């Protein structure tokens, strides 16, 4: 039984090391998926904010047209120019919101890729397990030396 102890310790150390690798990989994958979900949320938020701004601007431009028509200004060149400039500025505002949302989403997706790449590979896990097994074997009283000369 004393001769089996080093092997038992080695097996326990190696399996513990493999389980740790599996857990590290699972945690990294969960973190990456969370970042990907966050990217989707950023895109959705930007789209909703852009749509809300567009609806608000449509109401404001409708009110502006009605006020201009009431005042008899709709045929005025100046009124038309101001209206077109305001519409162009409003479109730029919406585009900026969408661009910022997309930029934030891409940043999160890049972070997710980095998180996945940083996870230990199974090859690394096997090497760690082998090392832990050897250390466990030696720590359990096993001899790695060559015997008597």
């Amino acid at each position: 039984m004393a001769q089996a102890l080093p092997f038992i310790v080695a097996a326990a150390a190696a399996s513990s090391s493999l389980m740790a690798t599996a857990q590290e990989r699972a945690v990294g994958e969960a973190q990456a998926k969370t970042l990907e979900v966050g990217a989707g949320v950023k895109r959705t938020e930007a789209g909703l904010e852009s749509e809300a701004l567009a609806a608000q601007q449509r109401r404001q431009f409708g009110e502006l047209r009605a006020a201009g028509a009431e005042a008899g200004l709709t045929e005025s060149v100046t009124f038309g120019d101001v209206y077109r400039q305001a519409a162009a500025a409003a479109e730029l505002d919406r585009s900026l919101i969408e661009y910022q949302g997309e930029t934030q989403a891409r940043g999160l997706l890049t972070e997710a890729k980095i998180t996945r790449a940083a996870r230990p590979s199974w090859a690394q896990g096997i090497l760690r397990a082998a090392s832990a097994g050897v250390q466990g074997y030696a720590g359990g009283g096993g001899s790695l030396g060559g015997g008597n000369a």
Side-chain angles (χ1 to χ4, degrees), residues 36-148:
E36 289 171 344
V37 168
V41 168
K42 288 293 182 188
R43 284 184 174 132
T44 301
E45 286 176 347
L48 292 173
E49 188 177 343
S50 175
E51 287 176 25
L53 181 61
Q56 177 188 3
Q57 290 168 341
R58 281 192 298 274
R59 279 191 305 275
Q60 289 173 341
F61 285 134
E63 291 169 3
L64 179 63
R65 273 194 305 268
E70 208 173 281
L73 299 174
T74 54
E75 301 300 320
S76 165
V77 174
T78 305
F79 180 81
D81 288 343
V82 169
Y83 186 83
R84 279 189 294 282
Q85 287 175 354
E91 181 61 31
L92 285 174
D93 288 345
R94 288 192 307 273
S95 295
L96 179 62
I97 288 169
E98 291 169 6
Y99 176 77
Q100 287 172 335
E102 184 61 26
T103 301
Q104 290 172 344
R106 286 180 187 230
L108 289 171
L109 291 174
T110 298
E111 193 175 339
K113 287 179 185 177
I114 291 169
T115 299
R116 276 200 180 91
R119 296 178 309 160
S121 69
W122 281 113
Q124 290 170 324
I126 291 169
L127 289 174
R128 283 192 217 164
S131 175
V134 169
Q135 289 174 355
Y137 179 79
S143 175
L144 299 174
N148 296 346

